[in-house]
């Protein structure tokens, strides 16, 4: 048991090193230019709410707007939107990518 | 006088509750939502688990020290705290997800089922962390509590894959790995 534990902990760390992308938390990045050209987070929340989303929280991540919420289809997701066009770029449920726009 | 009070077990329990009190404040006042509580509750659960796990490797490595014995006398409380923060973590997860369908939809994600599995192992550990259980289980108690080792492996996988980031998990787990490994390779029995 005593040898097994450090070995398995080390193995987990090694496997994780190999398989987790170096880009850390940002699932995608947006080339979105200066913030002055962005639409507001409130504009995005209002648009999504009108489209049937429930927005729990939104923030900036990797030059995109990152939204935690529920899609009109009822999936609990993390989604990325372009801050200039508010276009949907990436939708992810834990463990599963539901949507990824070509090129992102 | 202050020393006597600080050495009482309830003082230690109060200390273990302190992070919870501090992290609950912004939630109670509505500045944070349940989702925001997942990270602090999970992190403190892992911290207390690791703190409880490093004490005997430390004892075999550096030998008896007054502060170390002081902590070892309180090791079970550290384990109970790890369990308590894990329960809080699960409660906030359930509040955040809000319904069974969403919970089941992501259950098989590597970062999720490992958390459930670790919680499952924590339950017997938490429930038997009392004098009556220790007396009833005798030598079996120690064997049972060794479930914390597979639980730690699950917690590590859960942390890395839920966060999609290695740094914070490794900062916490590398000292544990090194200490447990050092104890194995230099088995000084005290």
């Amino acid at each position: 048991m005593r040898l097994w534990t450090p070995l398995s902990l080390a193995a987990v760390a090694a496997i994780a090193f190999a398989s987790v992308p170096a880009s850390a938390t940002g699932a995608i990045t947006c080339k979105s230019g200066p913030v002055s050209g962005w639409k507001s987070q409130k504009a995005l929340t209002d648009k999504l709410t009108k489209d049937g989303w429930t927005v729990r929280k939104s923030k900036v991540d990797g030059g995109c707007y990152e939204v935690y919420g529920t899609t009109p289809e009822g999936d609990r997701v993390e989604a990325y939107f372009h801050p200039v066009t508010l276009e949907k770029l990436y939708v992810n449920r834990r463990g599963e990518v539901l949507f990824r726009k070509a090129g992102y | 006088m202050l020393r006597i009070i600080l050495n009482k077990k309830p003082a230690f329990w109060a200390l273990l509750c302190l992070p919870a009190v501090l992290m609950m404040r912004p939630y109670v006042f509505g500045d944070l939502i349940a989702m925001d509580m997942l990270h602090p509750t999970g992190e403190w659960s892992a911290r207390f688990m690791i703190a409880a796990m490093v004490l005997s490797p430390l004892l075999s490595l550096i030998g008896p020290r007054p502060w170390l014995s002081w902590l070892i006398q309180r090791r079970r409380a550290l384990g109970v705290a790890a369990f308590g923060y894990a329960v809080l973590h699960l409660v906030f997860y359930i509040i955040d997800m809000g319904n069974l369908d969403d919970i089941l939809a992501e259950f098989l994600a590597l970062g999720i089922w490992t958390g459930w599995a670790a919680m499952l192992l924590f339950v017997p550990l938490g429930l038997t962390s009392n004098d009556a259980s220790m007396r009833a289980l005798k030598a079996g108690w120690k064997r049972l509590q060794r479930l914390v080792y597979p639980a730690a492996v699950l917690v590590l996988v859960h942390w890395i894959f839920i966060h999609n980031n290695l740094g914070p998990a490794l900062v916490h787990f590398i000292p544990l790995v090194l200490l447990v490994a050092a104890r194995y390779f230099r088995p000084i029995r005290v």
Side-chain angles (χ1 to χ4, degrees), chain B residues 122-151:
Chain B
F122 271 176
V123 170
L125 302 188
L127 293 183
T128 57
S129 286
N130 50 70
D131 293 339
S133 297
M134 287 185 82
R135 275 194 301 272
L137 292 169
K138 297 189 183 79
W141 189 82
K142 201 142 203 174
R143 270 207 305 279
L144 177 69
Q145 295 292 324
R146 288 202 181 114
L147 281 177
V148 75
Y149 291 102

Side-chain angles (χ1 to χ4, degrees), chain B residues 81-93:
Chain B
F83 178 64
Y85 282 83
V87 169
L88 262 182
H89 185 62
L90 180 59
V91 166
F92 279 117
Y93 174 70

Side-chain angles (χ1 to χ4, degrees), chain B residues 90-109:
Chain B
L90 180 59
V91 166
F92 279 117
Y93 174 70
I94 292 168
I95 294 173
D96 178 50
M97 295 304 282
N99 66 77
L100 190 62
D101 284 350
D102 286 334
I103 290 172
L104 291 178
E106 65 179 31
F107 184 80
L108 291 178

